[in-house]
Amino acid sequence: MTTLWIFIALFVLVSLVLIWFPHFRQQKMLQAEEAGVRKQTNLDLFNIRLATLEKELTDELLDKVEFDALKKELEISLLQDMKQGDDESLVHKVKPKGLLWPMVMSIVIIGVSGYFYTTLGAYAKLNQPQPGGPHAGMSQEQVMQQRLQMMEQQAKSEPENSQLLFSLGHSYISASRYDDAVKAFDKAIVLVGNQAELLGPKATAMYYKANQQMTPAIRAVIDQSLSLDPEDPSTLLLVGMDSFFTADYQTAIDSWQIILDSERKDVDRSAIINAIDSAKMRMESETGEMPNDAAQVKSVAKTVNVEVSVSPELLEQVGSSDMLFIFARSTEGPKVPLAAVKVSAKSLPTTITLDDTTSMGGNAKLSGAKNVEIIAVLSKHGTVKPQSGDLQGRLAMVKVGDTTQLLIDTIVE
């Protein structure tokens, strides 16, 4: 397959070069020829005019001073004509000749190459297991079983590899071998001690083994895990899932929201958000109640209160029609505004609250950041982008949840 790819690529490349190179060379030659004719014409005219001046000098129709002046003027005119001709040659390109023919040939070459690739290259079979491959003729279950056997053999040769046991336990869960999964996690716990990231998956394996029924033994493992890490995602996912299945939607929402608020990078945030939205809709449709979202309770702390004032030295430069723009952007990652507020300068000094309700749209939210940079622009032009004469203030780092003071003390140059 690789050899065929290389052959087709070389065939197309060589063919296109043979088609288009003569075409562009012809165009370049025509341009050069046109420029040469223009220059020669200018030189001929110059020589004719110069001969006329020399004859008039010989016939004493011109004196030496007049002759020199006219000759100088003629030379300057020649230089200007030459330069103008060069400039025009850069602007006015010679129209390519025979453009249709190389385009048709290129399409034919590409079409023939595509035909050979689809017929000889078996394009439709690229995603199928190749004959002689390690998983040729095997079903998905057989492939998983083969991988499990390889991991089991590696675990026997490396009995103290806790990370391997952790991965093996998750593979057992995927293969519905819940007893083996529990044993794998127990072996890892013996090696590294009780850790939430091991207890959570163990509780999950026990839960599936019990046909998705919460038992006292499973609850004990969950409580132990959450006592070690109240924000462990695997444990909270299990708690939320069981609560959802038992129609305890508020507990499910609260559990999943804790995962989102923990700002962990190893979770599928979009899937969790969708699960929360589903629980909210179920709760509203079945009970008629609006969810007491834990996010709403916690969002109180996901704000930044900014007390904005202007430096006494600059108070005289604040106009009644000026507008105050204040926005926050994350100190990590892309410098995009997370929240922004626009108020009249008449309200200064004032306290402004930035939160998710003042977001700029999109997925970036103030509640998803730990620290932010606060920028205030007192604009005389009505735009958020600072311009000359505007006043500005800045705080390099503010922790989300804090109240801070910002002094506008700089004139934009």
Side-chain angles (χ1 to χ4, degrees):
M1 181 64 68
T2 303
T3 304
L4 181 63
W5 268 98
I6 296 174
F7 172 78
I8 292 177
L10 289 176
F11 172 74
V12 173
L13 178 62
V14 172
S15 300
L16 293 179
V17 168
L18 292 176
I19 291 172
W20 288 99
F21 179 74
H23 171 76
F24 288 118
R25 184 174 64 178
Q26 178 191 31
Q27 181 184 2
K28 187 174 182 181
M29 291 174 62
L30 290 173
Q31 291 175 351
E33 181 180 352
E34 182 188 25
V37 171
R38 187 184 294 111
K39 290 182 179 179
Q40 186 61 45
T41 302
N42 289 332
L43 287 173
D44 291 342
L45 291 174
F46 172 80
N47 291 329
I48 292 172
R49 293 172 184 171
L50 180 60
T52 301
L53 291 177
E54 290 175 345
K55 186 175 183 305
E56 291 179 353
L57 177 64
T58 303
D59 296 340
E60 297 183 353
L61 296 176
L62 296 174
D63 57 26
K64 182 63 175 175
V65 175
E66 292 175 332
F67 173 81
D68 291 339
L70 291 174
K71 181 180 179 182
K72 186 68 174 177
E73 182 179 347
L74 188 59
E75 291 173 346
I76 294 174
S77 177
L78 174 63
L79 291 175
Q80 291 176 343
D81 290 340
M82 291 290 191
K83 185 177 185 303
Q84 182 179 3
D86 292 338
D87 294 341
E88 290 178 353
S89 66
L90 293 175
V91 176
H92 303 290
K93 301 293 184 181
V94 178
K95 184 178 180 180
K97 295 184 178 181
L99 186 61
L100 179 61
W101 173 250
M103 289 182 63
V104 171
M105 289 301 297
S106 299
I107 294 173
V108 170
I109 292 297
I110 295 174
V112 171
S113 301
Y115 170 76
F116 277 110
Y117 174 63
T118 54
T119 55
L120 300 180
Y123 173 77
K125 297 181 180 179
L126 280 178
N127 293 327
Q128 299 179 4
Q130 298 299 313
H135 305 305
M138 298 176 61
S139 64
Q140 189 67 29
E141 292 76 12
Q142 291 172 327
V143 172
M144 180 181 294
Q145 184 62 31
Q146 187 182 69
R147 291 174 178 171
L148 268 176
Q149 291 175 354
M150 294 175 62
M151 294 180 68
E152 288 172 342
Q153 292 175 0
Q154 186 179 358
K156 289 180 180 179
S157 60
E158 302 177 29
E160 296 185 358
N161 188 337
S162 59
Q163 185 61 45
L164 177 60
L165 291 170
F166 176 80
S167 301
L168 182 59
H170 281 283
S171 297
Y172 280 139
I173 292 177
S174 299
S176 301
R177 294 171 55 178
Y178 305 120
D179 284 331
D180 292 331
V182 173
K183 292 177 182 178
F185 291 126
D186 283 338
K187 290 179 181 179
I189 291 172
V190 171
L191 293 174
V192 300
N194 286 324
Q195 294 188 12
E197 63 179 6
L198 293 173
L199 293 171
K202 176 184 176 180
T204 302
M206 295 170 64
Y207 180 76
Y208 282 116
K209 179 186 176 183
N211 295 321
Q212 299 182 9
Q213 297 294 323
M214 187 64 66
T215 66
I218 300 172
R219 175 58 63 185
V221 177
I222 290 175
D223 293 342
Q224 185 180 12
S225 175
L226 294 178
S227 66
L228 295 172
D229 183 1
E231 298 180 349
D232 178 64
S234 59
T235 307
L236 291 171
L237 283 172
L238 174 59
V239 173
M241 180 174 60
D242 179 69
S243 300
F244 185 88
F245 290 156
T246 57
D248 186 2
Y249 300 116
Q250 187 61 60
T251 301
I253 293 170
D254 294 345
S255 301
W256 291 332
Q257 186 63 47
I258 293 174
I259 300 175
L260 292 181
D261 293 339
S262 67
E263 302 177 2
R264 303 237 181 177
K265 306 298 183 182
D266 56 343
V267 296
D268 188 345
R269 298 182 65 86
S270 60
I272 297 174
I273 291 173
N274 291 335
I276 292 175
D277 292 339
S278 178
K280 289 178 179 179
M281 289 188 293
R282 289 282 191 93
M283 182 177 182
E284 187 175 0
S285 62
E286 294 183 11
T287 66
E289 299 178 2
M290 292 297 293
N292 180 20
D293 198 343
Q296 296 176 354
V297 177
K298 201 163 185 177
S299 64
V300 176
K302 293 295 184 178
T303 64
V304 176
N305 297 313
V306 187
E307 300 175 2
V308 188
S309 60
V310 181
S311 172
E313 294 80 4
L314 301 179
L315 278 175
E316 295 181 354
Q317 301 191 34
V318 179
S320 58
S321 61
D322 294 352
M323 297 301 299
L324 173 65
F325 296 90
I326 181 167
F327 57 93
R329 60 188 185 186
S330 178
T331 57
E332 300 178 356
K335 296 294 185 179
V336 295
L338 303 177
V341 171
K342 173 185 175 182
V343 297
S344 172
K346 296 179 181 179
S347 62
L348 289 170
T350 184
T351 299
I352 294 176
T353 299
L354 298 173
D355 54 23
D356 286 349
T357 63
T358 59
S359 70
M360 301 292 289
N363 296 326
K365 303 288 186 181
L366 184 70
S367 59
K370 292 184 178 180
N371 300 292
V372 292
E373 176 187 18
I374 305 295
I375 301 173
V377 177
L378 195 57
S379 174
K380 299 182 178 299
H381 309 85
T383 60
V384 67
K385 184 177 181 180
Q387 300 185 37
S388 179
D390 291 346
L391 307 182
Q392 183 174 308
R394 183 189 301 264
L395 295 174
M397 181 176 293
V398 177
K399 183 178 179 181
V400 175
D402 286 355
T403 297
T404 187
Q405 296 179 343
L406 189 151
L407 183 66
I408 300 177
D409 57 358
T410 304
I411 300 177
V412 179
E413 299 295 338

